[in-house]
Structures are given as C-alpha cells and as structure tokens.
Amino acid sequence: MRLDAFLAKAAQMSRADAKQALRRGRVTVDGQVCRDGARHVEETAAVALDGAPLGVKQYVYIMLDKPAGVVSASRDARDTTVADLVREAYPRRELFPAGRLDKDSTGFVLLTDDGALAHAILAPRRHVAKTYTVEIDAPVTRAMTEGFAAGVTLADGTRLAHAELRAEEGARVCEVVLTQGVYHQIKRMFGVFGAGVVSLRRTAIGDVRLDGALGPGGYRELTAAELEKLSGGVL
Ligand code: URA
C-alpha cells in the first residue's frame, strides 16, 4: 500500500497529518528517512514514526466495560453508542459490537471490525458462553435453577436451550451462563418465574473475563492470549 495510507492506518493519523509528518522527515522506511507518501510499502516493511516502529493491524479487538445508558450499536441518532465511547482513539475504524447488551445492562462488550470473529462468537452452534451477574427482585428458587437447566419456555412459546443459574437458594444475586442470545433473554427467563431483573452485568465471554480494572466506560485491546481463547482456532 502507499506509505501515506500505511501511516494513516497504523498511526491512526489523518491523511493530512501523515503528509505533514512525511514532509518533516519524521518517517523512516527500513531505517531511511522517506518523504514520499506515494511510495509503495509492503505490510511487513519496517516503518517508524519518530523512531517508534509501526505495524498495520488488520483488525482491532476491544474489551469495553459498557456503562448503563449506552446502546449496543455503532451509531445512533439519539443515544451514545458503545462505538462512540472508543471513537476518539480509533477514528478510522468501523467498529461494531459483537453481540448486544440492553441499554440498562452493563459490562463486557467486545468491539471489533473483524466480521468473521464476531460471527463466530455469536453463531449458536459454537455455543460461546456469556456469563452475567444478575440481581433480581425476588429470592432464587429451586424451580428457577431447575427450570433454567431444563430449558425455559418463554411467554411467547420460544423454547430456549438449557442455561446455568448459579446461586445459593434464597439469594437475590446470582450468576447466569447462556449460550444463546435471544432479545432480553435473561429478563424474560426470570419473568417466567415471576421475578424482575434489578441489574444485569456481563462478566465474561467464553473464557475471557472482563478486566475489573477498567471501570464503567473503560476499555482496552484484548491481549493475544485472550484473542486466542475467543477465536478458538476459527481465525
Ligand atoms: N439478557 C437480557 O435480558 N439483557 C441483556 O442485556 C443481556 C441478556
């Protein structure tokens, strides 16, 4: 690709900033200053800006701790979206959430521009587990635990796959593990047992746990080990 395009992608610079950096001699290719934005460089070329090596990442994978009140979408006319929260840091990426949380739910949202990984995580046949901490407005009962394990039939007749409900009997805070992603699934599942959801937080996708250090609205890229766990050989 052209060197100016490489810079724009790898350093997240505008084309104008990339041109200026080139003019000022801040860019080297294989150790030599290069001022020619039209020069063709291979993806593997050793390009550096101010001496710091740059590499073009094909895709990015971001772990976001979604705050309440933010919608799981790329863009929205009215509400702040999960993509809006990271746009400043990734201005030239078209990021979208791989799976949705309700507006009032919080926790782990994976943002990426890699459609294949998003599809793999969401595909029902891959059964990637999503783990939630849920507070309900009634005590957990044995009927709930057994019902979730057997597979709940929702009020509209939808028959769900089995799910796991982990809690002491009588507790109001529990952990729920799903392998499906039906709209408002957990709220509707508890609704079948006459309980309302007070708060819902996704704490893990597959074997990757939400980083507790992030806090609401915090984000970071997945580590290589986390990405490997999620992609599980599909990439
Ligand atoms: N189930 C729900 O009801 N809401 C969510 O946000 C996620 C799972």
Side-chain angles (χ1 to χ4, degrees):
M1 76 174 82
R2 284 172 57 113
L3 180 56
D4 49 9
F6 183 105
L7 281 173
K9 200 165 178 192
Q12 291 282 294
M13 301 172 107
S14 67
R15 284 291 181 109
D17 286 346
K19 283 202 167 73
Q20 194 183 59
L22 285 159
R23 265 199 312 275
R24 294 189 170 164
R26 295 170 58 202
V27 180
T28 56
V29 179
D30 295 327
Q32 304 291 316
V33 172
C34 180
R35 293 188 160 82
D36 179 11
R39 172 164 167 188
H40 183 84
V41 287
E42 300 296 331
E43 297 249 340
T44 51
V47 179
L49 176 67
D50 299 326
L54 295 175
V56 176
K57 287 186 200 156
Q58 192 177 9
Y59 299 118
V60 290
Y61 307 92
I62 298 164
M63 171 192 287
L64 167 75
D65 187 344
K66 181 184 111 50
V70 171
V71 294
S72 294
S74 299
R75 293 183 191 272
D76 191 89
R78 215 181 27 201
D79 291 309
T80 302
T81 70
V82 286
D84 291 339
L85 297 180
V86 306
R87 187 154 288 123
E88 214 179 310
Y90 298 90
R92 266 162 288 283
R93 296 270 182 181
E94 286 299 323
L95 296 167
F96 55 87
R100 287 161 189 271
L101 284 177
D102 295 340
K103 186 173 172 182
D104 57 353
S105 300
T106 64
F108 193 169
V109 169
L110 177 68
L111 281 163
T112 185
D113 47 1
D114 179 351
L117 180 83
H119 182 75
I121 290 174
L122 301 176
R125 64 181 172 77
R126 285 203 64 228
H127 304 297
V128 175
K130 320 280 186 319
T131 306
Y132 301 83
T133 299
V134 187
E135 185 185 353
I136 56 174
D137 63 4
V140 170
T141 62
R142 182 185 293 240
M144 290 176 187
T145 313
E146 291 179 355
F148 277 35
V152 172
T153 301
L154 298 178
D156 67 357
T158 307
R159 183 140 172 69
L160 299 174
H162 61 87
E164 204 178 332
L165 197 170
R166 300 174 185 148
E168 302 283 316
E169 219 173 291
R172 285 167 187 254
V173 177
C174 57
E175 200 166 67
V176 175
V177 184
L178 302 181
T179 53
Q180 274 175 306
V182 172
Y183 186 61
H184 290 335
Q185 184 166 339
I186 293 178
K187 291 172 184 165
R188 292 163 75 195
M189 287 166 79
F190 279 111
V192 168
F193 297 92
V197 167
V198 177
S199 70
L200 194 157
R201 179 168 176 75
R202 183 153 66 199
T203 55
I205 300 177
D207 291 333
V208 179
R209 293 205 69 79
L210 177 64
D211 184 338
L214 292 174
Y219 59 89
R220 66 163 172 78
E221 290 191 22
L222 293 187
T223 64
E226 288 169 339
L227 181 58
E228 174 63 29
K229 279 188 196 169
L230 275 188
S231 59
V234 294
L235 293 181

